[in-house]
Structures are given as C-alpha cells and as structure tokens.
C-alpha cells in the first residue's frame, strides 16, 4: 500500500485551506467563548460553595456537593463539544474531501455532528469519552481533544514509580496494555460518524479491523512518522544555521542584530504555531483514508464505504474565505506587522541590562541527592551548596516527639518496616539512613526536629512539611511552638498538603508562616490561604504564578529535577525552586546572570 495523501498539489492546498479555516473558527470559538464561559460558571459554583478555589485536597468534597455535580455536568458538555467540533469535524471534512463532496458551512457541519451526541450518552459512550480524554493523552495513540492535552502523569509520581524496579515494571506493563487498547480503538470515531454505529458497535468494529490490518497500519504510521520527523528536523536545522549565518555574515551593528533576532524568533514561533494547526487534522485525514482502505477490503464492512453523511454545500463565502483569496497580501502584511513590532523592540532590549529575578533554592528533603535525606548531614550539605532553604518532612513518634522521615515507614531509607508512631524516639535514633551512592559520607542517624532546627537556625531557612498519620493539630501546635521558641518566625515555614491544616495554623498561629502544597487547583487560587503556595510543576503556569504573586504570596514550585524543568523555572518568575538537583539548579541560575536584555526577551517569548 503506497502512502498517497493527495492526488495533486491543488488537491493538497485545498485540503490544507479547509483545515486552516476550520481551525481558526474552532479555536476562536473555544478561546473566546466556550472555555471562558465554562471557567466563569465554574468560579461562580466555587464561590457559592464557600471557597475561593478548589485544590486536590478539596476536590472530592466539592464534587459531592450540588455545585460540584453541576460542574461535572458542565465539564461533560465541554468535552462532548470538543469531541464533536474538533475530532468529528476534521473527520467529516476529510471524508467529504476524499469523496469529492462540496465544502459545507461550519454550522451545517456542526449540526450534523450533533446527531452523534445520543450515542455518547450510553455506558459504552462514556467509555469512548474516557478513551478520548484519558487513554489517548496517556498513551499517545490516537487524537484527543486539544484542551485535554495537559493531562499526563506528574513528574513527582513518575519519580515515585521509578524509585522501585517493581513499580517501574508494573507501570510499564499497564502502559503497554493501555497502548494496545488505545491502538485498537483508534477508528472508533470513524465508525460512529461515517459508519453511523453506536459506541459499542464502533468499538467492536474498530478493534476487529485494526487487529486484521495492524501490520499495514503500523507500517503506514512508521512511514508517516519518519518523513514528518525528517521534514521537521531538516527545516529546524536549516532555519537555525541559516539565521545564525545571516546574523554573523551581514555587516550589522548590535542594535540591528538584536531587532533581527526578535524578528526571526517571532517568525519561528508563528511558523511553529501554523504547523501545529495542521498536525491533528492531517493525522485524522490519514486515519480516515486508512479507514476507507480497510473497510473496502473487508466484505462485512464494504457497504459502509458510501455511507458518509451527505451535507449540502455552503451557499456563500465566509469572511475567512474572502480573506484567504488574498494569501500573498496577508503574508506580506503579517511579516510587515511583525517587523514593525520586533525590530524596534529588539533594538530597545539590546540596550537593556538584564536584571534577573532573585529565585531562592530549596534543598528537597534536607540536601537533595547530595546527602542522606532528612538528616543533619543534608542540612549541612544544603548550607555548603549555598541553598536559601532546606525542606524536611516531620512525623511524631510513639512517645510524642518529632523526627524527620518522608515515607510511612523507614523501610526504604533505613531498612526498618515500622512507622514512627510504632517506635519511640530512642529506637528511631538508632536507625541509620543510607546515603546516596555518590556521597562520600556513610549512613546517617535519623534527625530529630529540634536538633535539626537548632543546627539550621541562623544558617538556612527551613520548610517543615507535616507528614503522615500523625500530622494533626497537635503537631501543628507543637511545631509552631518550636519555631517561636527559637525566634525563627522569618526563617521557618510550615507546609502541608492538607488545606484544613493550613487554615487551622493561619487562624490559630497567625505569626507562623504557612505554605500550602498542591498539584491541582482551579478557581481563584490567589484566595487560597498560606503565605506560600507550593505548586507542582504542571500547576506552576505563568498565569498561576502571576496570580499568586499579585495576591502578595510567594510562588514556589516542586520538585524541579529534570533538565527541561530546571531550564523552564530558572527562567520564570517563581520565588523559589524546590529541587533534589541542587548543583544543576545553582549552575543554571548562575548562567542566567550572563544573559543580555535581548536574551531575556527571547526567553520570555519562548515561554508558554
């Protein structure tokens, strides 16, 4: 089977133009109307339930309320709308193009796809929805709704999975099984829309057809992926070396060079955005072509080849149609507008001295990967490496004292399969925490909270997370007293994943600094209690960080360990970074200080 996407160049441009117009209309619909309305209604529901924002700690309580049920209903409607408009819409356009049918208006297309909604309000239909919003984003097989692409396994969970071989193997097996399932269901929307099947029949037909043609499908996508990757790589390399050569070869002063850098950057980003508009439509077009090829070769499904919806042609051209008649004019105007903006801006920033925001470094679990976790040795290493803070995990012992440990038991760090509540302080102090393999130090004793604070006082700030089953109001009161007694009100922060605990401390001990840890939140996050809002990487978006800081709170991100995350957050506006990779973060922060104003602007333009 040959990979023939288009019969001729004219056919190619016609299809791309249809995709482009549909993407512009649907993106504007979602970004200007659908999603803003959804979040506005969500905020109203949250306020009427008595909250400013809903975080992971409050999520299930909110979802059990009447407002939460309404929120789930709205979310389901938004997801259904996304499936109908985006996925079914592109399949409909692709099928019509292949069959030589005239272009329909977007309203006619939408009304036609609305007829699929009843099929999704069915137990099997719910499985199809879950396929789109969970299975596809997690496995990468198939096409999902664009606004659900943020869904992925957070880095802190992946680090936990990678901490034990058994977890990694189990996760790998589950991912393989889910990928196989996702692969077999890849033609479900085609059978529902073009074959007019209900969800259950579509899933069965897709699974059977893919199983029968898995070799052909796999070969097609290997070829498609190879040439796509090759094209992107060649374009990227040629663009990078071409612009670099041009900037070095032309006899230009630094000011003009700075303007050209911004111009090239904006053209690059615009081009990448335009290419991104075609990725999903082209994949769905390719799948639609394979759908017709496969059913043609299956005697039980061959009758579906001509069963696609027959839609009337549109009667008049839209505004976008009329604008695209002047493609060359639009192109020239776009480049001219970008130039008029970027060149003077680049000129100005070339003369600006970049003064980077001061970002504090917080050593995760004492001293990160550089010392035994949650030990005095870790605090010493954090001080030695120039960290501003060290973060620790506190638990209570059977005799009412406080020690440092992250897990429920000491099994991972010290080989003891009992929890702190099952052991006395003296028993725990006899345990030895294993040091990292690359550390010069041997095993270290479990640290008590008081001795850790005594060492840290005056040397380094301390983030104290209340951890485990013993993290209650008594622990909060006791830790607050220890901080107060040592006059560490400005160098100690009590952290918790339990929002109720943060609320309690804020009300009972207003002089104690608090930090709310979370990995999911929506609503007015600036209204959350806590002097520090400690966000997981995915939650630390540019807008969320801005919102937190506008409300006079510190924006902290955890746990920043990968090269990609380090680069992202050292060039952000966060107030502090919690990391295990202290030396890498410190090096990245140092490198940041050598940037010029134009470098900083280019970094800003790269942020999403």
């Amino acid at each position: 089977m040959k990979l023939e996407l288009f019969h001729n160049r004219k056919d190619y441009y016609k299809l791309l133009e249809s995709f482009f117009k549909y993407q512009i209309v649907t993106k504007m619909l979602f970004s200007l109307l659908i999603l803003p309305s959804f979040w506005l209604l969500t905020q109203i529901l949250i306020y009427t339930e008595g909250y400013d924002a809903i975080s992971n700690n409050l999520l299930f309580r909110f979802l059990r309320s009447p407002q939460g049920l309404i929120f789930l209903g709205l979310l389901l409607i938004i997801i259904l709308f996304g499936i109908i408009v985006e996925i079914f819409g592109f399949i409909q356009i692709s099928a019509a193009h292949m069959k030589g049918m005239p272009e329909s208006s977007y309203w006619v297309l939408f009304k036609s796809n609305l007829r699929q909604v009843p099929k999704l309000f069915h137990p099997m239909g719910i499985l199809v929805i879950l396929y789109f919003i969970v299975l596809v984003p997690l496995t990468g097989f198939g096409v999902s709704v664009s606004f659900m692409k943020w869904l992925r396994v957070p880095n802190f969970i992946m680090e936990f999975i990678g901490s034990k071989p058994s977890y990694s193997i189990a996760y790998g097996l589950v991912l393989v099984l889910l990928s196989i399932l996702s692969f077999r269901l890849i033609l479900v929307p085609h059978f529902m829309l073009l074959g007019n099947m209900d969800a259950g029949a579509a899933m069965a037909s897709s699974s059977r057809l893919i199983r029968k043609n898995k070799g052909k499908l796999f070969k097609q996508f290997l070829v498609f992926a190879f040439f796509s990757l090759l094209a992107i790589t060649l374009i990227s390399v040629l663009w990078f070396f071409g612009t670099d050569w041009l900037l070095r070869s032309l006899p230009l002063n630094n000011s003009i060079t700075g303007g050209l850098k911004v111009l090239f950057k904006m053209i690059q980003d615009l081009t990448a955005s335009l290419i991104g508009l075609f990725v999903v439509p082209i994949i769905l077009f390719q799948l639609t072509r394979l759908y017709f090829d496969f059913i043609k070769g299956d005697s039980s499904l061959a009758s579906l080849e001509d069963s696609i919806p027959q839609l009337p042609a549109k009667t008049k051209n839209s505004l976008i149609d009329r604008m695209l008649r002047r493609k060359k004019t639009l192109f020239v105007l776009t480049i001219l507008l970008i130039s008029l903006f970027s060149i003077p801006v680049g000129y100005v920033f070339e003369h600006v001295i970049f003064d980077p925001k001061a970002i504090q470094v917080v050593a995760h679990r004492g001293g990160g990967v550089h010392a035994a976790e949650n030990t005095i040795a870790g605090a010493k290493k954090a001080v030695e490496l120039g960290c501003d803070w060290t973060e620790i995990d506190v638990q209570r012992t059977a005799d009412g004292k406080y020690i440092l440990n992250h897990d429920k038991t000491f099994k991972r760090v010290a080989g003891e399969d009992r929890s702190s509540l099952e052991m006395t302080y003296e028993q725990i102090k006899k345990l030895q925490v294993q040091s990292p393999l690359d550390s010069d130090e041997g095993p270290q004793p479990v640290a008590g909270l008081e001795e850790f604070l005594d060492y840290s006082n005056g040397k380094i700030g301390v983030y104290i997370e209340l951890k485990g089953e013993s993290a209650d109001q008594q622990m909060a009161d006791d830790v607050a007293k220890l901080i107060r007694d040592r006059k560490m009100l400005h160098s100690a922060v009590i952290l918790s994943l339990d929002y109720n605990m943060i609320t309690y401390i804020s009300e009972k001990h207003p002089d104690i600094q608090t930090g709310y840890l979370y990995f999911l939140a929506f609503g007015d996050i600036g209204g959350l209690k806590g002097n520090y809002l400690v966000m997981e990487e995915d939650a630390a978006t540019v807008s969320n960080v801005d919102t937190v800081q506008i409300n006079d709170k510190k924006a902290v991100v955890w746990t920043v360990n990968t090269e990609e995350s380090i680069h992202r957050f050292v060039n952000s506006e966060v107030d502090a970074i919690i990391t295990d990779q202290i030396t890498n973060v410190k090096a990245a922060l140092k490198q940041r200080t050598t940037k010029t104003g134009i470098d900083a602007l280019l970094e800003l333009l790269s942020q999403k």
Side-chain angles (χ1 to χ4, degrees), residues 32 35 158 283 286-287 343 351 387 406 413 425 501:
L32 299 179
L35 292 178
M158 290 304 301
I283 291 174
Q286 177 72 346
L287 284 172
I343 291 179
H351 296 275
C387 294
H406 178 273
V413 296
Y425 183 81
M501 190 66 67

Side-chain angles (χ1 to χ4, degrees), residues 113-275:
N113 291 338
L114 267 180
R115 300 190 186 101
Q116 307 303 316
V117 172
K119 298 177 183 177
L120 296 171
F121 281 103
H122 183 276
M124 298 303 291
I126 298 300
L127 291 179
V128 172
I129 294 174
L130 291 175
Y131 162 76
F132 284 124
I133 66 173
V134 177
L135 211 58
V136 173
L138 290 179
T139 64
F141 284 102
V143 176
S144 182
V145 182
S146 62
F147 55 81
M148 298 299 295
K149 289 183 178 179
W150 57 268
L151 183 66
R152 68 177 183 87
V153 181
N155 283 341
F156 76 96
I157 294 180
M158 290 304 301
E159 289 179 3
F160 174 75
I161 291 172
S163 64
K164 288 187 178 181
S166 58
Y167 294 166
S168 299
I169 293 171
Y171 175 75
L173 290 174
V174 169
L175 196 60
V176 168
L177 292 174
L178 292 178
S179 297
I180 293 172
L181 178 60
S182 185
F183 184 69
R184 287 194 173 184
L185 299 180
I186 203 167
L187 294 180
V188 164
H190 295 78
F191 278 106
M192 291 181 68
L193 178 65
L194 305 179
N196 197 27
M197 292 184 178
D198 61 38
M203 293 173 73
S205 297
S206 176
S207 180
R208 186 176 68 83
L209 197 63
I210 294 300
R211 188 168 62 249
K212 180 181 177 180
N213 296 277
K214 58 181 180 294
K216 295 178 181 178
L217 181 60
F218 192 65
K219 178 182 177 181
Q220 289 283 296
F221 272 93
L222 277 181
V223 173
F224 183 77
F226 172 77
F227 282 107
S228 298
L229 182 62
L230 180 63
I232 292 172
T233 302
L234 285 175
I235 292 172
S236 300
V237 169
L238 289 174
W239 175 262
F240 174 79
F241 285 105
T243 55
D244 182 67
W245 174 83
L246 189 63
L247 290 172
R248 286 187 289 103
S249 300
L250 294 177
L252 305 173
N253 59 41
N254 289 340
S255 299
I256 298 177
T257 300
L260 287 177
K261 284 181 180 178
V262 178
L263 174 63
F264 292 154
K265 174 62 178 173
M266 294 191 70
I267 293 175
Q268 173 188 311
D269 290 348
L270 177 62
T271 304
S273 298
L274 289 174
I275 292 174

Side-chain angles (χ1 to χ4, degrees), residues 368-423:
V369 298
H370 307 285
E373 70 175 62
N374 280 312
T375 62
I376 301 297
K380 291 179 179 178
K381 182 59 70 173
V383 171
E384 177 186 325
L385 294 174
C387 294
D388 302 281
W389 300 79
T390 177
E391 181 268 344
I392 56 175
D393 306 287
V394 177
Q395 301 188 37
R396 189 165 54 240
T397 67
D399 50 350
K401 297 183 179 181
Y402 294 99
I403 52 84
L404 309 191
N405 187 41
H406 178 273
D407 299 354
K408 183 177 181 179
T409 71
F410 294 92
K411 179 70 175 178
R412 177 177 60 87
V413 296
E416 174 59 61
D417 201 16
R418 286 185 290 174
S419 69
S420 60
L421 286 173
E422 296 173 318
M423 302 175 68

Side-chain angles (χ1 to χ4, degrees), residues 351-363:
H351 296 275
V352 170
I353 298 175
F354 176 54
D355 184 18
K357 175 183 174 65
I359 298 177
Q360 296 183 326
V361 179
V362 185

Side-chain angles (χ1 to χ4, degrees), residues 11 19 55 64 88 113 123 140 201 231 247 263 281 377 403 418 456 470 491 511:
D11 196 37
F19 283 153
S55 62
R64 290 195 299 267
F88 286 176
N113 291 338
L247 290 172
L263 174 63
I403 52 84
R418 286 185 290 174
S456 303
S470 59
S491 59
D511 57 330

Side-chain angles (χ1 to χ4, degrees), residues 399-459:
D399 50 350
K401 297 183 179 181
Y402 294 99
I403 52 84
L404 309 191
N405 187 41
H406 178 273
D407 299 354
K408 183 177 181 179
T409 71
F410 294 92
K411 179 70 175 178
R412 177 177 60 87
V413 296
E416 174 59 61
D417 201 16
R418 286 185 290 174
S419 69
S420 60
L421 286 173
E422 296 173 318
M423 302 175 68
T424 65
Y425 183 81
E426 292 303 321
Q427 289 174 324
I428 292 172
K429 288 298 291 179
K430 293 177 182 178
L431 299 177
Q432 295 288 306
V433 180
Q434 297 300 315
S435 294
L437 294 176
D438 59 349
S439 173
D440 295 331
E441 301 173 333
Q444 300 292 317
V446 175
L449 176 58
E450 293 189 51
E451 62 176 327
F452 192 94
L453 292 177
D454 288 338
Y455 170 79
S456 303
N457 197 358
K459 300 183 183 72

